Amino acid sequence: METRRLTCIVCPMGCQMEVTLQDGVPVSVTGNTCPRGDRYAREECVNPTRVLTSTVRAEGGRLPVVPVKTAAPIPKALLFDAMAEIRGVTVKAPVKIGQTILENLCGTGVALVATAGLDERKK
């Protein structure tokens, strides 16, 4: 048996949880105050994922970058690879909120989308 201590990041409560694993499989979770914490703790021990937020370069926009995020969580182990891929991306203004910037970030099947619009620079 193995025990891991986690702080839940699902809501602002920040519950201090303890997960008991047997052969790498979660068998019990304690310390959570809601079912979402239990689900988070089990997934975090087996397949941790995160929503990634960043910015990409923008050409011809009134700002030099546009904020983006993944449309769904991606494996935590891919965060550095995803950032390397994002660093190589440049979009042309205008950009609309919700616009897909990349269809398939790091082969995850998850899109990278704009979280704000960006108008063209006034001439």
Side-chain angles (χ1 to χ4, degrees), residues 8 10 18 27 29 34 36 42 44 74-75 79 86 94-95 104 112 121 123:
C8 186
V10 176
E18 194 169 280
V27 292
V29 177
C34 71
R36 293 182 307 165
R42 291 173 189 276
E44 185 68 9
I74 63 172
L79 291 179
I86 290 169
V95 175
N104 183 12
L112 185 70
R121 186 177 328 134
K123 297 179 183 187

Side-chain angles (χ1 to χ4, degrees), residues 51-83:
V51 171
L52 177 62
T53 61
S54 187
T55 57
V56 296
R57 282 186 220 103
E59 289 181 355
R62 66 179 175 79
L63 297 173
V65 295
V66 63
V68 294
K69 73 171 193 145
T70 54
I74 63 172
K76 187 177 175 184
L78 291 178
L79 291 179
F80 288 105
D81 293 338
M83 285 304 301

